Amino acid sequence: KAGVTQTPRYLIKTRGQQVTLSCSPISGHRSVSWYQQTPGQGLQFLFEYFSETQRNKGNFPGRFSGRQFSNSRSEMNVSTLELGDSALYLCASSTGEGFYYGYTFGSGTRLTVV
Amino acid sequence: GQQLNQSPQSMFIQEGEDVSMNCTSSSIFNTWLWYKQDPGEGPVLLIALYKAGELTSNGRLTAQFGITRKDSFLNISASIPSDVGIYFCAGPYAGNMLTFGGGTRLMVKP
């Protein structure tokens, strides 16, 4: 059974640019959640998509957005990048119907903004 | 979201030692999760706890769901070098969102 796939693994962008990250969940999982991990703030929830709809949203500015496709693959976009957006972005896959098995995380995309 | 306070922040281990870490919250949780993260990878679920007072084992790992539902403990017995990494506690809130503790970094004693 394939795990959660995130692409790309590494990305370097310049301040002011925008970036799109991709996440393919485990087959059959309908929920994809995104997290930002930084040394200072730890793991913070960005948003969750379930059946193509944003179901929950964390406390991040509107520059952070996402979407989910009919095959459950999800993308997140960050516009007008700032140096502080440098982080490991993790997506997590789940059935979305109860928390009995937690999430399965991908390996993440390491974004560096210069 | 709610804050989870995890301690210790870091610790050195010597092979064969037992390790303990805990997580506390000012809010009640109905589920506690423990994850381990290796460098350059995403967190991997180790143990999930669903009932207050529950004690669950996974090999050398044992975790307990505190009776007040505001804390949880993770113990690792007879540590080995591959136990090195960062351990996170986490609890779900408001649906399918997780809040994480700050992590406990396990390192090997030189």
Side-chain angles (χ1 to χ4, degrees), chain B residues 3-77:
Chain B
Q3 273 197 312
L4 296 183
N5 300 305
Q6 195 171 341
S7 65
Q9 286 188 344
S10 62
M11 58 192 309
F12 284 92
I13 59 172
Q14 197 148 42
E15 191 168 349
E17 283 182 342
D18 295 345
V19 170
S20 289
M21 59 192 79
N22 68 60
C23 202
T24 60
S25 169
S26 56
S27 305
I28 286 173
F29 282 90
N30 292 316
T31 300
W32 283 92
L33 305 169
W34 284 93
Y35 283 88
K36 181 187 180 219
Q37 186 175 27
D38 291 325
E41 298 296 328
V44 173
L45 182 65
L46 298 173
I47 291 181
L49 302 158
Y50 304 112
K51 203 165 40 169
E54 180 182 357
L55 188 72
T56 296
S57 292
N58 178 8
R60 292 179 298 104
L61 276 59
T62 301
Q64 182 157 28
F65 192 145
I67 201 78
T68 65
R69 293 197 283 157
K70 291 184 178 182
D71 59 3
S72 180
F73 303 85
L74 176 70
N75 295 316
I76 306 172
S77 63

Side-chain angles (χ1 to χ4, degrees), chain A residues 57-79:
Chain A
K57 189 176 191 308
N59 190 26
F60 277 81
R63 300 184 297 105
F64 292 81
S65 63
R67 59 178 175 166
Q68 187 179 35
F69 302 95
S70 58
N71 61 358
S72 293
R73 189 177 73 84
S74 177
E75 289 180 348
M76 67 163 279
N77 184 77
V78 187
S79 62

Side-chain angles (χ1 to χ4, degrees), chain A residues 9 31 33 35 37 43 45 48 55-57 88 90 94 96 98-103 105-108, chain B residues 31 33 35 37 40-45 48 50 86 88 92-102:
Chain A
R9 285 296 307 270
S31 169
S33 299
Y35 286 79
Q37 186 175 28
L43 278 151
F45 175 80
E48 181 213 5
R55 191 159 70 167
N56 290 295
K57 189 176 191 308
L88 180 66
L90 292 159
S94 72
F99 234 103
Y100 297 108
Y101 300 103
Y103 290 148
F105 281 90
S107 297
Chain B
T31 300
L33 305 169
Y35 283 88
Q37 186 175 27
E41 298 296 328
V44 173
L45 182 65
Y50 304 112
I86 306 177
F88 292 97
Y93 70 100
N96 210 38
M97 298 181 282
L98 276 183
T99 187
F100 284 84

